[in-house]
Amino acid sequence: MVAYMEHKDLANQVIGPERAVKIGDGVHRVEDLIRQAEGAAGRPEGSVALLAATKTRDVGEIMAAVDAGIRLIGENRPQEVAAKAQGIAVQSARRGVDLGFHLIGQLQANKINKVLHQVDTVESVDNLDLARKIAVRAQAGGLTMGVYLEVNESGEESKSGCDPDSAFDLACTLAGLEGLELDGLMTVGAHVDDESTVRRGFSHLRGLCEAIRNSGQAGTGTCRTLSMGMTDDLAWAVAEGSTQVRVGRAIFGERAFI
Ligand SMILES: *Cc1c(COP(=O)(O)O)cnc(C)c1O
Protein backbone atom coordinates (compact mmCIF):
# COMPACT_ATOMS: atom_id res chain seq x y z
CA MET A 1 0.00 0.00 0.00
CA VAL A 2 1.36 3.39 -1.01
CA ALA A 3 0.96 5.81 1.93
CA TYR A 4 -1.28 8.39 0.24
CA MET A 5 -3.71 5.65 -0.75
CA GLU A 6 -4.74 5.50 2.91
CA HIS A 7 -5.93 9.11 2.67
CA LYS A 8 -8.04 8.89 -0.44
CA ASP A 9 -10.48 6.28 -1.72
CA LEU A 10 -9.29 5.95 -5.30
CA ALA A 11 -12.22 3.67 -6.16
CA ASN A 12 -14.70 6.44 -5.35
CA GLN A 13 -17.03 6.96 -8.31
CA VAL A 14 -19.07 10.00 -7.30
CA ILE A 15 -17.76 13.57 -7.29
CA GLY A 16 -19.52 16.92 -6.94
CA PRO A 17 -20.78 18.78 -10.01
CA GLU A 18 -18.43 21.74 -9.47
CA ARG A 19 -15.38 19.51 -9.44
CA ALA A 20 -16.62 17.75 -12.59
CA VAL A 21 -17.05 21.08 -14.41
CA LYS A 22 -13.54 22.15 -13.38
CA ILE A 23 -12.05 18.95 -14.75
CA GLY A 24 -14.03 19.31 -17.99
CA ASP A 25 -12.72 22.87 -18.35
CA GLY A 26 -9.19 21.55 -17.80
CA VAL A 27 -9.59 19.00 -20.60
CA HIS A 28 -10.87 21.65 -23.02
CA ARG A 29 -8.10 24.08 -22.07
CA VAL A 30 -5.42 21.48 -22.74
CA GLU A 31 -7.07 20.51 -26.05
CA ASP A 32 -6.89 24.20 -27.05
CA LEU A 33 -3.21 24.36 -26.08
CA ILE A 34 -2.49 21.29 -28.19
CA ARG A 35 -4.35 22.74 -31.18
CA GLN A 36 -2.41 25.99 -30.86
CA ALA A 37 0.89 24.12 -30.65
CA GLU A 38 -0.01 21.97 -33.66
CA GLY A 39 -0.85 25.10 -35.64
CA ALA A 40 2.33 26.91 -34.59
CA ALA A 41 4.38 23.90 -35.71
CA GLY A 42 2.54 23.64 -39.02
CA ARG A 43 1.21 20.22 -38.07
CA PRO A 44 -2.32 19.06 -38.94
CA GLU A 45 -4.96 19.39 -36.24
CA GLY A 46 -5.42 16.07 -34.48
CA SER A 47 -1.78 14.95 -34.88
CA VAL A 48 -1.30 14.76 -31.13
CA ALA A 49 -3.29 12.52 -28.78
CA LEU A 50 -4.01 13.64 -25.23
CA LEU A 51 -3.42 11.07 -22.48
CA ALA A 52 -4.74 12.07 -19.06
CA ALA A 53 -2.15 11.24 -16.37
CA THR A 54 -4.47 10.10 -13.58
CA LYS A 55 -2.18 9.32 -10.63
CA THR A 56 -3.81 10.28 -7.29
CA ARG A 57 -7.19 10.90 -9.02
CA ASP A 58 -10.20 8.74 -8.20
CA VAL A 59 -12.59 6.99 -10.59
CA GLY A 60 -15.13 9.83 -10.40
CA GLU A 61 -12.50 12.43 -11.34
CA ILE A 62 -11.23 10.26 -14.20
CA MET A 63 -14.76 9.75 -15.57
CA ALA A 64 -15.34 13.53 -15.49
CA ALA A 65 -12.35 13.81 -17.83
CA VAL A 66 -13.78 11.03 -20.00
CA ASP A 67 -17.11 12.86 -20.16
CA ALA A 68 -15.18 15.87 -21.49
CA GLY A 69 -13.65 13.78 -24.28
CA ILE A 70 -10.61 11.96 -22.85
CA ARG A 71 -10.17 8.49 -24.40
CA LEU A 72 -6.69 7.64 -23.14
CA ILE A 73 -5.57 7.44 -19.52
CA GLY A 74 -2.23 6.65 -17.90
CA GLU A 75 -1.50 5.43 -14.39
CA ASN A 76 1.88 5.41 -12.65
CA ARG A 77 1.50 2.67 -10.09
CA PRO A 78 0.23 -0.89 -10.40
CA GLN A 79 -1.51 -0.46 -7.03
CA GLU A 80 -3.55 2.42 -8.44
CA VAL A 81 -4.40 0.42 -11.54
CA ALA A 82 -5.69 -2.35 -9.30
CA ALA A 83 -7.71 0.07 -7.16
CA LYS A 84 -9.45 1.77 -10.07
CA ALA A 85 -9.64 -0.69 -12.97
CA GLN A 86 -12.97 -2.24 -12.12
CA GLY A 87 -14.74 1.07 -11.48
CA ILE A 88 -13.35 2.53 -14.68
CA ALA A 89 -14.49 -0.55 -16.65
CA VAL A 90 -18.01 -0.37 -15.20
CA GLN A 91 -18.35 3.38 -15.80
CA SER A 92 -16.90 3.17 -19.33
CA ALA A 93 -19.28 0.34 -20.26
CA ARG A 94 -22.20 2.38 -18.94
CA ARG A 95 -21.18 5.23 -21.26
CA GLY A 96 -20.34 2.95 -24.18
CA VAL A 97 -16.81 4.36 -24.46
CA ASP A 98 -13.66 2.44 -25.27
CA LEU A 99 -10.78 3.74 -23.17
CA GLY A 100 -7.09 3.17 -23.81
CA PHE A 101 -5.36 2.38 -20.51
CA HIS A 102 -1.57 2.79 -20.24
CA LEU A 103 0.95 2.28 -17.48
CA ILE A 104 3.34 5.27 -17.55
CA GLY A 105 5.28 4.71 -14.30
CA GLN A 106 7.94 2.21 -13.32
CA LEU A 107 6.97 -1.44 -13.31
CA GLN A 108 8.69 -4.00 -11.14
CA ALA A 109 8.68 -7.56 -12.42
CA ASN A 110 6.71 -8.81 -9.41
CA LYS A 111 3.84 -6.42 -10.28
CA ILE A 112 3.39 -7.47 -13.91
CA ASN A 113 0.41 -9.68 -13.10
CA LYS A 114 -1.37 -6.75 -11.41
CA VAL A 115 -1.52 -4.83 -14.68
CA LEU A 116 -1.40 -7.54 -17.36
CA HIS A 117 -5.13 -7.79 -17.98
CA GLN A 118 -5.93 -4.16 -17.08
CA VAL A 119 -3.66 -2.02 -19.26
CA ASP A 120 -3.14 -2.35 -23.00
CA THR A 121 0.23 -0.56 -23.12
CA VAL A 122 3.24 -0.23 -20.84
CA GLU A 123 5.06 3.01 -21.72
CA SER A 124 7.83 2.60 -19.18
CA VAL A 125 9.82 -0.41 -20.42
CA ASP A 126 13.49 0.49 -20.12
CA ASN A 127 15.39 -2.78 -19.95
CA LEU A 128 15.49 -6.13 -21.68
CA ASP A 129 14.95 -8.18 -18.53
CA LEU A 130 11.61 -6.46 -17.81
CA ALA A 131 10.59 -6.67 -21.46
CA ARG A 132 11.27 -10.42 -21.53
CA LYS A 133 9.26 -10.96 -18.35
CA ILE A 134 6.28 -9.00 -19.69
CA ALA A 135 6.53 -10.94 -22.96
CA VAL A 136 6.47 -14.31 -21.18
CA ARG A 137 3.44 -13.35 -19.04
CA ALA A 138 1.62 -11.87 -22.01
CA GLN A 139 2.11 -15.01 -24.06
CA ALA A 140 0.98 -17.18 -21.15
CA GLY A 141 -2.10 -14.95 -20.81
CA GLY A 142 -2.87 -15.21 -24.50
CA LEU A 143 -2.40 -11.53 -25.27
CA THR A 144 0.00 -9.11 -26.91
CA MET A 145 1.11 -6.17 -24.76
CA GLY A 146 1.83 -2.85 -26.40
CA VAL A 147 5.08 -1.36 -25.13
CA TYR A 148 7.01 1.88 -25.54
CA LEU A 149 10.71 2.04 -24.79
CA GLU A 150 11.34 4.73 -22.18
CA VAL A 151 14.52 6.70 -22.84
CA ASN A 152 16.24 8.97 -20.31
CA GLU A 153 17.05 11.77 -22.74
CA SER A 154 17.99 14.28 -20.02
CA GLY A 155 20.42 11.94 -18.28
CA GLU A 156 19.02 13.09 -14.91
CA GLU A 157 19.85 10.52 -12.22
CA SER A 158 16.37 10.63 -10.70
CA LYS A 159 14.72 9.51 -13.91
CA SER A 160 14.07 6.06 -15.21
CA GLY A 161 14.56 5.18 -18.86
CA CYS A 162 17.40 3.58 -20.76
CA ASP A 163 20.55 5.36 -21.89
CA PRO A 164 19.96 7.10 -25.25
CA ASP A 165 23.10 5.39 -26.63
CA SER A 166 21.64 1.93 -26.06
CA ALA A 167 18.07 2.78 -27.09
CA PHE A 168 18.33 1.84 -30.76
CA ASP A 169 19.66 -1.68 -30.15
CA LEU A 170 17.31 -2.26 -27.23
CA ALA A 171 14.28 -1.15 -29.26
CA CYS A 172 15.20 -3.49 -32.12
CA THR A 173 15.52 -6.39 -29.68
CA LEU A 174 12.18 -5.63 -27.95
CA ALA A 175 10.48 -5.36 -31.32
CA GLY A 176 11.37 -8.98 -32.04
CA LEU A 177 9.92 -10.47 -28.82
CA GLU A 178 6.78 -12.62 -29.12
CA GLY A 179 4.04 -11.32 -26.83
CA LEU A 180 5.06 -7.67 -27.22
CA GLU A 181 4.36 -5.05 -29.86
CA LEU A 182 6.76 -2.10 -29.87
CA ASP A 183 4.41 0.84 -30.46
CA GLY A 184 6.65 3.81 -29.67
CA LEU A 185 9.11 5.66 -27.46
CA MET A 186 8.54 7.64 -24.30
CA THR A 187 10.54 10.23 -22.38
CA VAL A 188 10.11 12.67 -19.52
CA GLY A 189 11.49 16.09 -20.44
CA ALA A 190 14.50 17.58 -18.67
CA HIS A 191 13.55 19.24 -15.39
CA VAL A 192 14.94 22.66 -16.34
CA ASP A 193 13.47 25.93 -17.64
CA ASP A 194 15.82 26.20 -20.58
CA GLU A 195 13.81 25.63 -23.75
CA SER A 196 16.68 24.50 -25.95
CA THR A 197 17.81 21.88 -23.40
CA VAL A 198 14.32 20.41 -23.09
CA ARG A 199 13.75 20.47 -26.84
CA ARG A 200 17.11 18.83 -27.59
CA GLY A 201 15.98 15.71 -25.69
CA PHE A 202 12.62 15.63 -27.50
CA SER A 203 14.28 16.13 -30.86
CA HIS A 204 16.72 13.29 -30.20
CA LEU A 205 13.86 10.94 -29.29
CA ARG A 206 12.12 11.77 -32.54
CA GLY A 207 15.25 10.95 -34.53
CA LEU A 208 15.60 7.66 -32.67
CA CYS A 209 11.99 6.73 -33.45
CA GLU A 210 12.54 7.34 -37.15
CA ALA A 211 15.80 5.40 -37.16
CA ILE A 212 14.15 2.43 -35.43
CA ARG A 213 11.21 2.43 -37.82
CA ASN A 214 13.53 2.71 -40.82
CA SER A 215 15.87 -0.03 -39.59
CA GLY A 216 13.96 -2.75 -41.39
CA GLN A 217 14.33 -4.99 -38.30
CA ALA A 218 11.45 -7.34 -37.53
CA GLY A 219 8.64 -5.71 -35.57
CA THR A 220 9.93 -2.13 -35.78
CA GLY A 221 7.32 -0.93 -38.28
CA THR A 222 4.79 -0.30 -35.49
CA CYS A 223 7.16 2.01 -33.55
CA ARG A 224 5.18 5.18 -34.33
CA THR A 225 4.09 6.88 -31.10
CA LEU A 226 6.30 9.57 -29.59
CA SER A 227 5.05 9.98 -26.03
CA MET A 228 6.59 13.23 -24.85
CA GLY A 229 5.31 16.44 -23.26
CA MET A 230 3.59 17.09 -19.92
CA THR A 231 1.86 20.09 -18.29
CA ASP A 232 4.96 22.32 -18.32
CA ASP A 233 6.54 21.38 -21.65
CA LEU A 234 3.79 20.15 -23.95
CA ALA A 235 4.07 22.95 -26.50
CA TRP A 236 7.82 22.32 -26.93
CA ALA A 237 7.15 18.59 -27.28
CA VAL A 238 4.51 19.18 -29.97
CA ALA A 239 6.94 21.48 -31.79
CA GLU A 240 9.46 18.61 -31.79
CA GLY A 241 7.04 16.05 -33.19
CA SER A 242 5.30 14.52 -30.17
CA THR A 243 2.29 12.40 -31.12
CA GLN A 244 1.05 11.87 -27.56
CA VAL A 245 1.28 14.21 -24.57
CA ARG A 246 0.70 12.97 -21.00
CA VAL A 247 -1.01 15.66 -18.93
CA GLY A 248 -2.06 15.59 -15.29
CA ARG A 249 -2.03 18.94 -13.47
CA ALA A 250 -3.29 21.08 -16.33
CA ILE A 251 -6.42 18.90 -16.41
CA PHE A 252 -7.03 17.99 -12.77
CA GLY A 253 -5.18 20.72 -10.83
CA GLU A 254 -2.24 20.35 -8.47
CA ARG A 255 -1.83 16.99 -6.79
CA ALA A 256 -2.49 16.82 -3.05
CA PHE A 257 -0.21 13.78 -2.88
CA ILE A 258 2.86 12.77 -4.86
C1 LIG B 1 2.70 12.62 -13.55
C2 LIG B 1 3.20 12.26 -14.88
C3 LIG B 1 2.81 12.96 -16.02
C4 LIG B 1 1.92 14.19 -15.96
O1 LIG B 1 2.58 15.22 -15.27
P1 LIG B 1 1.90 16.67 -15.09
O2 LIG B 1 3.06 17.54 -14.79
O3 LIG B 1 0.92 16.53 -13.97
O4 LIG B 1 1.22 17.01 -16.38
C5 LIG B 1 3.29 12.53 -17.24
N1 LIG B 1 4.12 11.46 -17.36
C6 LIG B 1 4.52 10.77 -16.29
C7 LIG B 1 5.42 9.60 -16.49
C8 LIG B 1 4.09 11.14 -15.02
O5 LIG B 1 4.51 10.46 -13.94
Side-chain angles (χ1 to χ4, degrees):
M1 181 76 93
V2 183
Y4 66 82
M5 290 177 70
E6 292 164 13
H7 301 286
K8 181 167 176 173
D9 175 17
L10 296 171
N12 171 61
Q13 298 188 12
V14 181
I15 63 169
E18 279 178 25
R19 176 81 179 116
V21 167
K22 264 203 151 145
I23 291 169
D25 289 347
V27 170
H28 297 136
R29 212 170 38 238
V30 174
E31 285 172 342
D32 285 346
L33 288 173
I34 292 171
R35 262 195 298 272
Q36 282 169 24
E38 285 169 339
R43 300 178 60 193
E45 200 174 301
S47 312
V48 182
L50 171 57
L51 174 145
T54 50
K55 58 179 177 268
T56 79
R57 318 301 177 175
D58 66 25
V59 173
E61 293 174 297
I62 294 167
M63 295 318 295
V66 170
D67 288 336
I70 289 291
R71 290 296 176 269
L72 191 53
I73 61 173
E75 284 289 347
N76 281 69
R77 298 179 176 87
Q79 294 96 320
E80 287 205 40
V81 173
K84 301 175 206 177
Q86 197 195 355
I88 290 170
V90 166
Q91 292 293 339
S92 299
R94 192 173 288 172
R95 289 162 171 80
V97 302
D98 198 11
L99 267 192
F101 199 166
H102 293 191
L103 187 76
I104 61 175
Q106 258 187 325
L107 178 60
Q108 269 147 16
N110 63 357
K111 302 272 170 54
I112 294 172
N113 281 344
K114 262 204 163 83
V115 302
L116 191 66
H117 293 282
Q118 313 295 350
V119 305
D120 52 84
T121 302
V122 179
E123 296 199 13
S124 43
V125 176
D126 63 3
N127 68 84
L128 187 55
D129 184 47
L130 175 65
R132 284 202 173 110
K133 285 176 173 151
I134 298 172
V136 167
R137 304 286 173 81
Q139 277 186 287
L143 54 90
T144 300
M145 182 67 81
V147 296
Y148 300 171
L149 178 65
E150 181 177 357
V151 184
N152 183 358
E153 287 288 358
S154 68
E156 289 163 8
E157 290 263 351
S158 60
K159 288 201 165 78
S160 44
C162 72
D163 190 315
D165 292 338
S166 56
F168 178 85
D169 288 343
L170 190 47
C172 292
T173 307
L174 300 198
L177 295 179
E178 289 284 334
L180 302 186
E181 179 175 286
L182 180 68
D183 289 329
L185 304 180
M186 186 268 253
T187 198
V188 174
H191 192 64
V192 295
D193 291 329
D194 181 53
E195 177 171 351
S196 67
T197 304
V198 177
R199 287 182 65 153
R200 197 177 318 124
F202 292 153
S203 166
H204 186 264
L205 196 74
R206 177 195 186 154
L208 256 178
C209 197
E210 281 164 13
I212 292 161
R213 212 168 47 241
N214 292 334
S215 69
Q217 303 261 0
T220 55
T222 51
C223 186
R224 298 202 160 275
T225 303
L226 267 176
S227 176
M228 54 191 202
M230 305 173 23
T231 290
D232 293 328
D233 56 18
L234 75 88
W236 297 339
V238 171
E240 294 296 346
S242 169
T243 67
Q244 181 203 292
V245 292
R246 309 175 309 271
V247 179
R249 289 169 300 136
I251 293 175
F252 298 104
E254 292 299 319
R255 283 178 287 274
F257 312 99
I258 300 168

